[in-house]
Amino acid sequence: YAKMGSDPRFWNSLVLTAIYTSSTVVLQVVLGLALAILVLQIPKGQGLLRVAAVLPIVLAPVVVGLFWRTLVLSPDFGLVDLVTRALGLGSHNWLGDPQLALISVIAIHTWQWTPFAFLVLLATLATLPPDVYEAARLDRAGAWQRFLHITLPLIRPAVVMVVILRMMTALSAFAALFAATGGGPGSATEILNLYAYRTSFLELNLGYGAALAVTLMSITLG
C-alpha cells in the first residue's frame, strides 16, 4: 500500500476510473430517462422496444467488446468510420488513438448498460399517478415544470438505485474493455481494475496486484 502513493500508474488508473465511472453513469441515467419518457409517448409498439432494449444487456461482455472493436470502431471498415468519412470528417483509429480510446470505451459501456437504466426508469414512470399531472396542467404548469417539480422527485428513489448499481458495474468493468482495448493504447484506458489484472497476471507482482484489488473493493463498498 505504501507504494501506491509514489506510483504514477496507480494515480493515472485512479483518475481514469473516476472519469470512466462518472461519465458512463451520467450518460446511462440521462439517456435511459430520455428514452423512457419518449417510449411512454408511443401508444403502440412499446413491447417490441423493450425487447430490443434488452439485447445489449444479454450479450456477453466479451462479445460486446469484440463486436465494437471489429464491426463498429474498426478503422476504415467500422460503422462509425463509414459515417465520419461520409460526413467528410475522415477516418480515425478509435481504439488505437490515446485521445479517442477512452471516449470509445465509455461509448461501449454506455451502449451496453443504458437499457438497464431505461427499463427501470420506464417501469417507474409507468406507475406515477396521472392525477398529479392533471392537477399541474390545470394550474398551467409547463412540461419542463412538471418534469422538474413532479417527475424527478417521484422517481428519485429509482434514479438513486440505478446510479448505485451502475457505479458498481462500471467500477468492476473488465471483460468488454479488455476485449476492446486491453487497457491500451499504452495506459490510455487502463482503469484500476485492468491495472490490478496487469500487475498480478502479466507482471506477476501478486502482492501489489492484490493491494490494488483491495483498494478497488474498498472504493466499491464505499
Side-chain angles (χ1 to χ4, degrees):
Y1 293 99
K3 181 182 176 182
M4 292 180 186
S6 59
D7 182 6
R9 280 184 67 188
F10 167 72
W11 292 107
N12 178 68
S13 66
L14 198 61
V15 170
L16 290 176
T17 301
I19 296 173
Y20 180 82
T21 302
S22 58
S23 300
T24 54
V25 170
V26 169
L27 286 172
Q28 288 171 54
V29 172
V30 172
L31 293 176
L33 180 57
L35 289 173
I37 294 174
L38 180 63
V39 167
L40 282 178
Q41 310 304 318
I42 301 175
K44 294 182 180 180
Q46 287 190 18
L48 183 62
L49 291 173
R50 294 182 189 185
V51 172
V54 172
L55 293 179
I57 301 177
V58 300
L59 293 175
V62 173
V63 174
V64 171
L66 293 175
F67 167 74
W68 278 75
R69 180 175 180 173
T70 57
L71 297 178
V72 181
L73 297 176
S74 175
D76 299 323
F77 305 104
L79 297 178
V80 175
D81 236 36
L82 292 176
V83 173
T84 55
R85 283 189 294 168
L87 296 175
L89 300 177
S91 178
H92 302 278
N93 189 0
W94 299 99
L95 296 174
D97 187 337
Q99 296 181 338
L100 298 174
L102 183 61
I103 298 174
S104 300
V105 295
I106 288 173
I108 294 173
H109 190 89
T110 301
W111 175 82
Q112 184 181 15
W113 291 108
T114 292
F116 175 86
F118 161 72
L119 292 173
V120 172
L121 295 174
L122 179 65
T124 305
L125 288 170
T127 62
L128 298 184
D131 53 333
V132 178
Y133 290 93
E134 185 63 30
R137 291 190 186 93
L138 293 176
D139 290 336
R140 297 183 179 180
W144 175 249
Q145 290 176 313
R146 295 196 300 270
F147 174 77
L148 193 62
H149 299 290
I150 298 177
T151 303
L152 280 183
L154 290 176
I155 67 173
R156 183 169 56 185
V159 171
V160 171
M161 183 191 71
V162 169
V163 168
I164 292 173
L165 292 176
R166 293 300 90 222
M167 285 183 66
M168 292 171 63
T169 302
L171 287 170
S172 63
F174 180 83
L177 201 154
F178 184 78
T181 67
S187 58
T189 59
E190 189 182 62
I191 62 174
L192 191 54
N193 204 3
L194 279 172
Y195 181 34
Y197 166 80
R198 283 181 164 185
T199 302
S200 298
F201 301 108
L202 299 183
E203 301 172 10
L204 298 180
N205 190 348
L206 298 180
Y208 189 48
L212 293 170
V214 171
T215 301
L216 178 60
M217 183 185 69
S218 301
I219 294 172
T220 307
L221 288 175

